[in-house]
Amino acid sequence: MNGAMANACARSSPLVPAAAPAASTKSPACPSKKTTSPRRTVWCRAAGRRDDDGLLWLPRRDMLTSLGGVAAGLVGYPGLASGALEANPVESCRRGDKVNDKLVECTDPNREYPCPPPSPVRAVDFKPEGAVRRVRQPAHLLSREYQEKYKEAIAKMKALPASHPLSFAAQAAIHQAYCDGHYRYDPTEKNRPFDVHFSWIFAPWHRMYIYFYEQALGQLIGDDTFALPYWNWDAPAGMVIPPLFRDSFANPLYDRNREQPRLDKLVDLDFLNAPDDAPLIPFNGPKDDKYEQLVTKNLCTIYQQQIRGGRGARAFLGEKLCSDTDFRLKEINERSKRRQGGQRAKRDKTKSQGSLERMAHTALHVWVGRSGPPEGKTCTADTGGVLGHDGAFNCNNDMGFLGSSGRDPLFYSHHANVDRLWHIWSTKLGGEGFKDPEWLDASFVFYDDVANPRPVRIKFRDVLDTRNLGYTYDAESEKDLPWLTCKLNPLVPHGKDSPPRPSPRKMLVYPLSLAKGEVVEVAAVAVPPRQPGQQRVLVIQGIEYDPKAENKFDVAINVPGDQALQVGPENSEYAGSFAVVPSSKAGGGTLEGRITLFIDDVLDDVMGDGDTTVDVVLVPRTDEEIKVFLPPTIQNQ
């Protein structure tokens, strides 16, 4: 880094996050209202058919029970990955829903595919590895020999029949089925999908997923020391798609469904914030002011994600998975029903993502995936579209669409770095996960052993320490984490030097309609005094959005509306964002989301003595309309 960047990265706050109140159940992420309704069981339908890329469309029973249809050769396998939800309505929203592989039936009311016959093969329980044999390294620093080994492993995985549970097609289908709405909490509720995103499921599920993927690669080349390289996008030297993945000539790591103009450009970890006409910055171009500014913003994005926004398990890993809805959902639906002339809104819920999921992870999914069909053409199978579970084609693939993300080999190295940042948070930064048994004992089933595939049941408590899984991360790359010392700068003066905050320009009427370029100022949101042992959070719920579109809005505090478009993760007023990777939704319609932003650090920076309220500013960044049905609130939790 040059001097300007070094000056912008002086330490500004304690390194270790505050103790996680998430370990307690006093302040639930979900309501504790008791009901007497019967226990719920998760259902799914299995299906199998190929799309135009030759990859397998693969929803499964037992939360991915087996390959059906054209992949009938896999009937004997009980699941590429499986799991189930068991909701106890009396306490599920206080404690979080249970997840296991016991209670799944194969029936998806939104599709017409038959279920495969049940299999007599039973899953075995995961056994910890006895030693650390694999060290994951940055992809851009791999030796030539290791690069060739990686290519060989991927080529062999792609050469396996699609019906093999550890083929590349089947591995891609695991993510597709879990993340594109193929599973339901209840067959009578047709629009209630299970997804491994948007909650505390995200980080451990993906760690399990790429662990078994990594194991298979090593088995294919007969090397139990082979470790999946990670895309080191949190370091300046790795802020570009690694060259290993960019060579299109006879390279099994290449994927044609990436946005071609961005392949050799400096990545933007706050992507969708920049103006549409903002020029891309060549990674190997001159290290001018624009280059340094983007690198600094990238480092501050990771700082916001890992440090400022990662104080506690709920902040970093996400809210509890609760299928029994937000406590205001009925009110929201009634409003929607009245607004639509008696028609119930075609919407569903998501829960709240942690900063690990919604920040750099989401930005790079959208950055890598192609931005749409060829110019002047519609999205169809002929133009490379991926058929979503809603029956429509999507051309923001592969990485840019949850249903097809696993088809790009870069996806796995991208998630290896997401996993690494969780590893750093829980070791070097002292972060502590949840204590809830519903999280620790959550289990899924994945396949292991290429030569003789067998299902293995693994719990979240099994994966909290990567040494239990026989791998760790390159120690050299962790000696210098430049984002640790990133200094945030105020966009406007605060405290004694700040001018009086102007009154909002117009009265707000809910639901708010967020449109790109139109800042929404929510004035005078009450700030409660900080309670001992708790943290103050900004909660925005009732967020309605189209899952197929790119959706993002930033949240700032005490920034004048006429300057809010300039706010970003490098500013101390930045509180966080709402951002999701596009996906589909069976039956169409919108999804329901929320965000919980831990803001004690922001409040310390922007509030003056005696202030009891702040202005919450919503800054839409994408074209698609997003609605917010409920006012933001600040709470102690």
Side-chain angles (χ1 to χ4, degrees), residues 235-433:
M239 290 179 181
V240 67
I241 294 176
L244 174 62
F245 295 87
R246 299 203 308 260
D247 181 11
S248 61
F249 179 73
N251 182 5
L253 298 174
Y254 180 77
D255 185 286
R256 71 176 186 272
N257 289 327
R258 299 175 189 149
E259 185 68 1
Q260 298 299 309
R262 299 182 192 138
L263 292 184
D264 59 352
K265 302 303 190 296
L266 184 65
V267 301
D268 186 347
L269 301 186
D270 188 39
F271 188 55
L272 298 178
N273 193 342
D276 293 337
D277 58 353
L280 296 171
I281 300 175
F283 180 75
N284 292 322
K287 304 298 190 288
D288 56 15
D289 288 344
K290 289 185 178 180
Y291 186 101
E292 299 292 353
Q293 287 170 7
L294 182 52
V295 169
T296 297
K297 187 178 79 162
N298 285 342
L299 295 176
C300 290
T301 298
I302 303 299
Y303 174 83
Q304 292 271 12
Q305 170 183 301
Q306 299 288 122
I307 307 295
R308 199 169 168 99
R311 298 190 182 278
R314 289 178 54 219
F316 189 69
L317 298 174
E319 299 281 9
K320 298 178 182 183
L321 175 69
C322 295
S323 63
D324 275 351
T325 84
D326 291 325
F327 65 92
R328 299 296 297 275
L329 185 65
K330 290 183 179 179
E331 176 184 342
I332 294 170
N333 273 322
E334 285 304 313
R335 293 182 183 181
S336 179
K337 184 177 179 180
R338 291 194 298 269
R339 191 175 70 252
Q340 298 183 20
Q343 297 296 316
R344 183 183 177 91
K346 289 185 177 181
R347 291 181 290 150
D348 211 330
K349 306 177 301 299
T350 62
K351 298 306 173 188
S352 188
Q353 306 160 306
S355 61
L356 180 66
E357 178 183 356
R358 62 180 165 76
M359 296 193 69
H361 156 260
T362 292
L364 283 180
H365 264 281
V366 180
W367 170 270
V368 174
R370 67 173 181 158
S371 59
E375 188 174 357
K377 295 185 178 181
T378 58
C379 186
T380 64
D382 293 337
T383 57
V386 172
L387 189 62
H389 194 48
D390 58 356
F393 287 96
N394 189 291
C395 281
N396 292 74
N397 52 309
D398 281 340
M399 278 272 282
F401 179 60
L402 285 180
S404 60
S405 291
R407 303 180 184 194
D408 187 343
L410 183 59
F411 165 87
Y412 303 93
S413 288
H414 171 49
H415 266 275
N417 201 42
V418 174
D419 180 78
R420 169 178 164 268
L421 291 172
W422 178 23
H423 170 70
I424 290 172
W425 179 83
S426 61
T427 55
K428 192 165 187 172
L429 301 183
E432 187 177 6

Side-chain angles (χ1 to χ4, degrees), residues 73-88:
L74 204 68
V75 162
Y77 296 118
L80 295 184
S82 68
L85 294 178
E86 179 189 62
N88 181 341

Side-chain angles (χ1 to χ4, degrees), residues 53 61 140 142 149 198 257 353 441 444 517 525 578 614:
D53 287 332
R61 62 172 300 166
H140 70 281
L142 293 181
K149 181 186 295 187
F198 317 121
N257 289 327
Q353 306 160 306
D441 292 328
F444 291 88
V525 177
F578 173 82
V614 294

